[in-house]
Every structure is written in C-alpha cells, then in structure tokens.
Amino acid sequence: QVQLVESGGASVQAGDSLRLSCTISGIPYSINSMAWFRQAPGREREAVAALYTSGTTTFYSNSVKDRFTISHDNAKNTVYLQMHNLKPEDTAMYYCAASPFRPTQATFANLNDYNIWGQGTQVTVSS
C-alpha cells in the first residue's frame, strides 16, 4: 500500500523560503504524476504544482509560478516543493497527492484524478 508523508511545514516571515518534502512509502508502480495542493481555512483545496514521475514535465498555478519549484528524487522516493518569496496568502495546509494519470496544464488541478493523499503539513507566513 502506497502512503505519502509530508514534512517541512513551518511558520515563517514574508519573503522567506521553505522546502516541503513528500516521501512515498510502498511500491509506487501505479503513480505517474505527483502534485502539491494547498487549502487555506474556509477555502477550497487548490493545486499548486505537479510533475510527471518520469521525465521533467512540470505544471504550476499562476499564483506560484516563478516562486515555487516542484522536483523529485526517485532514488529517495521523495517529491519536493521549494518555495521562495513566501507571501501571507501562501498560508495553508499543503498536501501531497499521487495520480495514475499524466495530466496537462489544463487538468493537473483536478482533485478527483489523485487517488492517494498525504495528511498535510502546515505553512504559515506572517507579514
């Protein structure tokens, strides 16, 4: 059984950087893409970034493009989200998710395409 465990969340100041990690346990035969989502209190869960587990294809939401970078280290079964120039509006619970599909820019935000989710890690950005 594949499980995802996020780590790296913290309380930081605006302008700071932070790196989140998502470690995959189990044998991820059925995973073709991974993504980071976030959910702020009272708001819907939204996609932040995604990548194919093989190759270099990545996708980003407009709100984080040029500030966040998603990457993966297959040898460590870990997906990262490097976040720079954090803003108070980035405050949210961040979730890692896995999908058997290979999304496009138009579809990577479809929550229903992701069938494995982590428990989340909290990021709080103070102004």
Side-chain angles (χ1 to χ4, degrees), residues 8 13 37 42 49-50 52 56 64 67 69 74 76 83 91 98 100 104-105 107 110 116-118 120 124:
Q13 297 292 314
F37 287 76
Y52 293 167
T56 59
V64 306
R67 296 191 299 124
T69 301
N74 286 343
K76 296 183 178 180
M83 305 183 291
T91 294
T104 64
Q105 181 67 41
T107 65
N110 294 343
I116 305 172
W117 291 83
T124 302

Side-chain angles (χ1 to χ4, degrees), residues 1 18-19 38 40 49 54 56 58 66 73 91:
Q1 182 179 358
L18 200 60
R19 189 178 78 163
R38 66 186 181 186
S54 61
T56 59
T58 57
D66 298 328
D73 184 335
T91 294

Side-chain angles (χ1 to χ4, degrees), residues 5 7-8 20 27 31 36 50 60 81 87 91 95 103 106 111:
V5 178
S7 62
L20 305 182
I27 303 175
I31 298 175
W36 286 96
Y60 295 94
L81 184 68
K87 303 176 181 181
T91 294
Y95 297 91
L111 278 75

Side-chain angles (χ1 to χ4, degrees), residues 2-126:
V2 177
Q3 292 184 319
L4 307 179
V5 178
E6 302 95 335
S7 62
S11 294
V12 298
Q13 297 292 314
D16 283 353
S17 298
L18 200 60
R19 189 178 78 163
L20 305 182
S21 299
C22 172
T23 301
I24 307 164
S25 64
I27 303 175
Y29 285 139
S30 62
I31 298 175
N32 286 304
S33 64
M34 298 286 297
W36 286 96
F37 287 76
R38 66 186 181 186
Q39 188 167 19
R43 302 191 66 176
E44 294 185 352
R45 193 170 296 193
E46 63 173 356
V48 173
L51 56 69
Y52 293 167
T53 53
S54 61
T56 59
T57 301
T58 57
F59 309 101
Y60 295 94
S61 68
N62 288 335
S63 61
V64 306
K65 190 169 53 175
D66 298 328
R67 296 191 299 124
F68 290 10
T69 301
I70 188 171
S71 62
H72 62 115
D73 184 335
N74 286 343
K76 296 183 178 180
N77 271 355
T78 302
V79 176
Y80 303 100
L81 184 68
Q82 178 67 55
M83 305 183 291
H84 294 296
N85 190 22
L86 283 161
K87 303 176 181 181
E89 51 263 44
D90 294 318
T91 294
M93 184 71 78
Y94 283 71
Y95 297 91
C96 179
S99 171
F101 306 117
R102 288 194 166 199
T104 64
Q105 181 67 41
T107 65
F108 84 95
N110 294 343
L111 278 75
N112 291 335
D113 289 346
Y114 297 87
N115 58 349
I116 305 172
W117 291 83
Q119 294 300 306
T121 186
Q122 178 68 38
V123 173
T124 302
V125 185
S126 302

